[in-house]
Amino acid sequence: MVEFLALLLALLTVVFVLMPVLTFVRMGRLSRELETLRARIDRLERPAASASPGTGPAFAAAGAPAAPSPLEALISPEAPAPVAPSAPLAPVAPTAVDIPDDLEDRIGGRGLLYTGVLVLLFGVSFFLKYAFENQWINETGRVVLGALGGLGLVVAGLRMSGRGLGVFGQALAGGGFAILYLAIYAAFNFYALIGTNVAFGAMLLVTLAAAVAADRQRAQALAVLAVGGGFMTPFLVGGAENAQLTLFSYDALLVIGTMVLALRHQWLGLNALSYTCTVFTLLAWAGRYYTEDQWLRTLLFLTLFCVLFLIILRATSRAAGAVAHVVTTVLATAPLLYHLFAVTITAAHPPAIHIYLIAFTAAGLWLTADPHRPWLRLVVLLGGFIPLFGTLTLPDGMSWVLANVVTIVAVAALHTMALLNRIVRQEERLAGPDLLALQITGLGLFSLLYESLQPSHPDLRGALAAGIAFAAVALWQWLTSRDRVASLNAAALAFTLGAIAVAVQFDGRAAVIGWAAEAAAAVWLGLRAPSLPFQYGGLLLWGMAALRLADGYFTTPAGFTAVLNERSLAIGFVVAMAYALAWMFARHRAEATERTRVALHVAASVLTLLWLTAEIRSYWEVRYENAQAYLYEHVMLSLAWGLYGALLIAIGMRQRYAAVRYIGITILAVASLKVFFYDLWELGGIYRVVGFLAFGVLLVLVSYLYQRRRLVTPPSEAPAPARVGETSGTDGSTPNAVNSQL
């Protein structure tokens, strides 16, 4: 009964599967032969334009009998035989006509084909499953039946593809190769009929056969199947042991073979597939088998894979089209992944990390030099510097200090030499990414050396920053005549490192004074260049110095001495630098610099007012044992604020500068509010009297100064030239219309 059912199933397969396929092929062949015959008949029936006068329609119209056509001669025996031609007619070859596929052709010719092959595979699978469950076929028979079926589909598909049915034949062949893979996998994994080596070799043969078929048939689908099946083979038939050398060597050969096949037929997507499969294989192997004693072999194989994909990337980047662009983008991640893996592997094996980072920097700069790729060079710089933070071995003693310092200096020196080579040998100006790389190189060099030397040499922090700053100064001077923008960037680096040197080496007034002086130098250079970044950078540095004054500068120190103390020295220097900066901007006549000048005057006045307040409070704070000290303090504050405001107004009148007068008026207004809303209620007795009388006299004197300004300037006195932002008034001074009325 079982044999009868098997025979019946085979007969049904032949009738309903093979016979329709063969009939379809035969009908296609007959259709092509019929088209060829029609073309030959049309050629024979077409009248020759260059016929002799005794033949053709013109002669027939004149009364001569026309020769019968060849078709009439074949059909009617009574027709007279035509005159034999002087030369035999050559056979007419069939003409290939390219008809574009419409929607119906795509659905009927391809969609139904792929669906049919898929349904056929499912049907065969269900039959085999049913046969296996009912024990119709033993294990060996199942494998043999699957292998024969797959081989039969491959042969039939290749033959049909060679007869003009390319898509149909390639689909059948692809299904056959897939069945062969499954048959080998079942023989190895399910039934243990073959060993690992035999299964691997059999799958390798299937992969090679699919690749050869794809190459000869120019079928990209078969190539995809071959590449995917090749990379899946180790996962399908691999053993439980770690075979790193065999696995990685096999994958390298697959990558090379895929590269050759892809470049031969311009199937660029194959390289993206092989790259993805390689990364997946490496991650899967590392997650299961990697140990620290395999780091060197792993790194060498990673280097080999990276070189291969860089070669593929270079060839792919020259191609045009959307596919080439996508594949290039995918392959461009290969160097990044390689760098991440390499740093992770070598970080635990010094000095391998040191050697690798130096080699990575040198190779990256060489690859990006010609043609010049500034953004990629910046990526190389970051790729060399970022892993150094935290990956270098911080020594227990002096074991790795020298190696760390050499690595850091070597990486920075290579990038600096590359920038200088761009200017000297290539005679080109540095681009924006190069200028950014210059800043990162200098600051990164200091940061990394600081991290490495801090545990053993903390006293070298300031000297280290100062040394790199002096090197930047030398570079600044050397670049002045070669690249002005680059020289300014070197100067900016020098100023930044100088500020860092002051900050890390000194505390208190020295750091504040150093920053303020450096801010003045930076602004002077920015106005001379001119360069807005230097101007704003200097102002920012001065602002940082002013903000640092708030750290402990308005508290009373032990052993306080009024006025003659460190706080007064630091605040006085910062205020003096503010007025020096305002004077520099005053000489640079422009609307923007005038606003900056006003802001500097405001900031200097605020600092001075805070200094007066701090000095008075500190003076009386150490005398709080006296019950009247608190009253004295507030009387002095009100008078000091008023006197300072009046002084600013007087200076503003003398200099004929409205901004200073406005600042003085503002301070007087604040002092007046304090007198009326605080002193009036908190002070009593003689202190209130003294405070109000003195402050009132001060306000009257200031008003007197303004009344004098209303007098008409004598004709013999020429009015002072107007400064930027002012207009000459009728009194010979230079305030605007509002100021002249105050």
Side-chain angles (χ1 to χ4, degrees), residues 620-621 623-634 687:
W620 291 107
E621 184 177 344
R623 294 170 174 81
Y624 273 166
E625 63 273 5
N626 187 347
Q628 307 298 322
Y630 181 77
L631 303 177
Y632 294 149
E633 175 185 341
H634 280 279
Y687 304 104

Side-chain angles (χ1 to χ4, degrees), residues 470-553:
F470 281 120
V473 170
L475 184 62
W476 165 24
Q477 296 300 318
W478 183 80
L479 289 173
T480 301
S481 60
R482 295 172 174 83
D483 189 340
R484 174 181 169 276
V485 178
S487 67
L488 291 177
N489 276 267
L493 178 61
F495 279 106
T496 304
L497 290 170
I500 294 175
V502 172
V504 299
Q505 189 66 29
F506 302 102
D507 293 325
R509 67 181 185 276
V512 173
I513 292 173
W515 284 4
E518 196 171 352
V523 170
W524 173 80
L525 180 62
L527 291 173
R528 182 182 178 185
S531 173
L532 288 178
F534 268 87
Q535 298 174 27
Y536 294 145
L539 293 174
L540 178 62
L541 189 57
W542 182 89
M544 293 172 60
L547 289 176
R548 188 159 182 175
L549 289 172
D551 185 14
Y553 276 88

Side-chain angles (χ1 to χ4, degrees), residues 252-339:
L253 292 176
L254 275 179
V255 172
I256 295 173
T258 304
M259 175 180 64
V260 173
L261 189 61
L263 295 179
R264 178 180 172 87
H265 299 283
Q266 291 300 307
W267 295 333
L268 303 180
L270 287 181
N271 290 322
L273 177 61
S274 69
Y275 171 67
T276 305
C277 292
T278 302
V279 173
F280 176 78
T281 302
L282 292 174
L283 292 176
W285 173 86
R288 185 174 182 183
Y289 296 112
Y290 178 74
T291 57
E292 292 294 336
D293 57 344
Q294 303 177 79
W295 72 270
L296 181 57
R297 181 188 295 176
T298 304
L299 181 62
L300 293 177
F301 271 111
L302 288 176
T303 305
L304 174 61
F305 287 127
C306 184
V307 170
L308 290 176
F309 286 114
L310 283 178
I311 295 173
I312 298 173
L313 174 62
R314 184 175 183 181
T316 306
S317 61
R318 300 173 181 173
V323 176
H325 180 71
V326 173
V327 175
T328 301
T329 304
V330 173
L331 294 180
T333 61
L336 176 61
L337 292 180
Y338 169 76
H339 184 59

Side-chain angles (χ1 to χ4, degrees), residues 234-474:
F235 294 95
L236 296 176
V237 300
E241 68 278 359
N242 179 15
Q244 181 192 23
L245 181 60
T246 303
L247 176 62
F248 286 4
S249 300
Y250 170 76
D251 282 351
L253 292 176
L254 275 179
V255 172
I256 295 173
T258 304
M259 175 180 64
V260 173
L261 189 61
L263 295 179
R264 178 180 172 87
H265 299 283
Q266 291 300 307
W267 295 333
L268 303 180
L270 287 181
N271 290 322
L273 177 61
S274 69
Y275 171 67
T276 305
C277 292
T278 302
V279 173
F280 176 78
T281 302
L282 292 174
L283 292 176
W285 173 86
R288 185 174 182 183
Y289 296 112
Y290 178 74
T291 57
E292 292 294 336
D293 57 344
Q294 303 177 79
W295 72 270
L296 181 57
R297 181 188 295 176
T298 304
L299 181 62
L300 293 177
F301 271 111
L302 288 176
T303 305
L304 174 61
F305 287 127
C306 184
V307 170
L308 290 176
F309 286 114
L310 283 178
I311 295 173
I312 298 173
L313 174 62
R314 184 175 183 181
T316 306
S317 61
R318 300 173 181 173
V323 176
H325 180 71
V326 173
V327 175
T328 301
T329 304
V330 173
L331 294 180
T333 61
L336 176 61
L337 292 180
Y338 169 76
H339 184 59
L340 294 177
F341 291 156
V343 169
T344 303
I345 291 173
T346 58
H349 302 279
I353 180 65
H354 304 82
I355 298 173
Y356 168 74
L357 289 176
I358 295 175
F360 166 80
T361 302
L365 292 175
W366 175 68
L367 290 174
T368 56
D370 189 19
H372 184 57
R373 300 180 178 92
W375 285 110
L376 289 182
R377 280 197 172 189
L378 185 60
V379 172
V380 172
L381 173 61
L382 296 176
F385 267 172
I386 292 177
L388 288 172
F389 289 96
T391 59
L392 292 182
T393 305
L394 295 179
D396 296 330
M398 293 292 294
S399 58
W400 289 104
V401 171
L402 182 60
N404 294 342
V405 171
V406 169
T407 303
I408 296 168
V409 173
V411 172
L414 286 173
H415 282 282
T416 304
M417 292 171 60
L419 295 175
L420 297 180
N421 177 71
R422 181 70 176 166
I423 297 174
V424 176
R425 294 188 58 187
Q426 301 181 10
E427 298 181 353
E428 297 287 344
R429 297 184 181 274
L430 297 183
D434 292 325
L435 298 175
L436 182 58
L438 176 63
Q439 301 292 327
I440 295 176
T441 300
L443 297 177
L445 176 62
F446 167 75
S447 301
L448 290 169
L449 290 178
Y450 179 88
E451 180 185 1
S452 294
L453 295 175
Q454 173 67 17
S456 56
H457 299 84
D459 53 327
L460 294 179
R461 299 175 301 174
L464 182 63
I468 303 175
F470 281 120
V473 170

